[in-house]
């Protein structure tokens, strides 16, 4: 089945991109969930949508920019949104959570304006919202690969610092760690992953691939590294099953990937309850 699918170049791009995203999205998701920042992924995805809608509008308005890849403006918007969130968190020291709805609202507002200027939804915009198997180009694949390498280098270099920040930010600051700087870079890397994932999962659903595999992993993992391992495993399973299902049933891959993630989560929750019931009886 997989061999017949990978016969097509565009499907090779989609599957390779999906496999890469299935690693980096849950990997970052573990740190995001532990730090209770899950909604940041939603906020950044909406800012990314504004960048994509703006890019599509610019492409329609200026013939010279018709070939501009929307992912570039999406990446710029996501990174800009992550920086603004950090600035607002500093500004509202006692109400840091306000930064997320502020940026999310700004992203939604700008998206609505650009979509209306572009005279409604187009096929291209729909593929960015919910993902598309056929829309992933070789250029998109290289962008995803570049971002993945950046994420892996960042995590490997600052793993210990991120671990401490995730569980005890006050202790990290007291120990002399540059908490603000590391967190800012972490936010930027998260923004890049969200922008890279939008072709496969879709802007509106990308936060699900970041959080759902982690939610399933937390139920069975016995340590932090084990949580990362199971999160990546569940993320990869969701991506592969979701992409195959999307191809054969002609569905949006973002939806099939998310539904698969939900089914994995339910299976883990029910399976753990059954195991605990059996152990209690014994």
């Amino acid at each position: 089945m997989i061999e017949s699918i990978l016969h097509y170049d565009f499907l090779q791009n989609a599957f390779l991109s999906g496999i890469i995203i299935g690693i980096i999205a849950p990997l970052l998701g573990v740190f995001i969930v532990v730090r209770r920042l899950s909604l940041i992924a939603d906020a950044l995805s909406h800012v990314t949508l504004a960048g994509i809608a703006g890019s599509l509008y610019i492409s329609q308005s200026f013939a010279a920019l018709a070939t501009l890849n929307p992912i570039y403006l999406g990446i710029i918007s996501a990174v800009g949104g992550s920086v603004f969130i950090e600035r607002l968190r500093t500004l509202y020291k006692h109400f840091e959570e306000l930064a997320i709805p502020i940026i999310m609202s700004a992203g939604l507002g700008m998206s609505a304006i650009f979509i209306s200027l572009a005279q409604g939804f187009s096929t291209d915009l729909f593929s960015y919202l919910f993902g598309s198997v056929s829309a992933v180009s070789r250029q998109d694949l290289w962008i995803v690969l570049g971002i993945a390498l950046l994420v892996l280098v960042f995590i490997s270099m600052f793993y210990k610092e991120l671990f401490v920040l995730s569980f005890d930010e006050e202790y990290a600051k007291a120990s002399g760690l540059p908490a603000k700087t590391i967190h800012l870079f972490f936010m930027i890397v998260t923004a890049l992953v969200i922008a890279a994932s939008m072709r496969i999962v879709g802007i509106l659903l990308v936060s699900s691939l970041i959080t759902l595999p982690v939610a399933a992993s937390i139920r069975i993992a016995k340590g932090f590294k084990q949580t990362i391992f199971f999160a990546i495993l569940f993320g990869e399973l969701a991506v592969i099953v979701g992409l195959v299902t999307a191809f054969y049933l002609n569905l949006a891959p973002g939806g099939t990937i998310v539904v698969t993630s939900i089914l994995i989560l339910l299976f883990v929750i029910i399976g753990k309850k059954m195991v605990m019931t059996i152990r209690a009886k014994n």
Side-chain angles (χ1 to χ4, degrees):
M1 180 183 294
I2 297 294
E3 291 180 0
S4 62
I5 293 176
L6 296 182
H7 176 72
Y8 303 97
D9 289 340
F10 71 92
L11 287 174
Q12 292 177 14
N13 297 334
F15 267 82
L16 289 173
S17 298
I19 288 171
I20 295 170
I21 291 165
I23 295 173
I24 59 176
L27 173 61
L28 281 180
V30 173
F31 294 97
I32 291 172
V33 170
V34 170
R35 299 190 67 181
R36 299 181 181 180
L37 296 173
S38 301
L39 289 178
I40 282 180
D42 283 311
L44 292 178
S45 65
H46 286 83
V47 174
T48 306
L49 174 59
I52 294 297
S55 182
L56 293 175
Y57 169 67
I58 292 171
S59 299
Q60 290 179 7
S61 304
F62 303 96
L65 299 175
T67 58
L68 178 67
N69 192 334
I71 194 172
Y72 293 127
L73 193 51
I75 289 174
I76 293 172
S77 299
V79 172
S82 66
V83 173
F84 275 117
I85 286 177
E86 281 307 292
R87 295 297 298 172
L88 287 171
R89 278 164 57 90
T90 303
L91 184 63
Y92 293 98
K93 292 182 179 180
H94 301 292
F95 307 95
E96 292 184 354
E97 69 279 1
L98 275 176
I100 297 175
I102 289 173
I103 295 300
M104 184 182 293
S105 300
L108 283 172
M110 294 300 295
S111 300
I113 290 172
F114 284 124
I115 290 171
S116 62
L117 288 173
Q119 299 179 349
F121 285 86
S122 64
T123 303
D124 287 338
L125 185 57
F126 186 85
S127 69
Y128 281 105
L129 288 174
F130 303 106
S132 173
V133 173
S134 61
V136 183
S137 65
R138 185 66 67 173
Q139 185 182 34
D140 294 331
L141 173 59
W142 286 118
I143 292 172
V144 170
L145 181 59
I147 290 174
L149 291 175
L150 181 62
V151 170
L152 294 176
V153 169
F154 174 74
I155 295 295
S156 62
M157 288 180 62
F158 296 100
Y159 176 81
K160 292 181 180 179
E161 290 82 354
L162 289 170
F163 179 84
V164 175
L165 281 170
S166 297
F167 287 95
D168 196 338
E169 187 170 348
E170 294 302 321
Y171 172 77
K173 292 178 180 178
S175 301
L177 290 179
K180 290 184 178 180
T181 302
I182 293 174
H183 186 65
L184 175 60
F185 282 119
F186 177 78
M187 291 291 295
I188 292 173
V189 169
T190 302
L192 291 174
V193 170
I194 289 171
S197 305
M198 59 189 173
R199 270 302 203 186
I200 295 293
V201 189
I203 296 168
L204 298 182
L205 302 172
V206 65
S207 61
S208 302
L209 187 59
I210 291 176
T211 56
L212 290 177
V214 181
S217 177
I218 288 173
R219 297 300 302 166
I220 58 175
K222 296 181 180 179
F224 190 74
K225 289 185 177 180
Q226 201 173 92
T227 301
I228 293 175
F229 171 78
F230 281 118
I232 293 174
L233 178 65
F234 293 147
E236 289 289 10
L237 181 61
V239 167
I240 293 172
V241 173
L243 287 176
V244 171
T245 303
F247 174 73
Y248 281 105
L249 299 182
N250 193 27
L251 300 172
T256 54
I257 290 171
V258 171
V259 169
T260 304
S261 296
I262 290 290
L263 292 176
I264 292 172
L265 177 59
L266 291 175
F267 177 80
V268 169
I269 292 174
I270 295 171
K272 184 174 181 179
K273 284 187 176 180
M274 292 177 63
V275 170
M276 290 177 67
T277 301
I278 293 172
R279 287 179 177 176
K281 289 181 179 179
N282 294 334

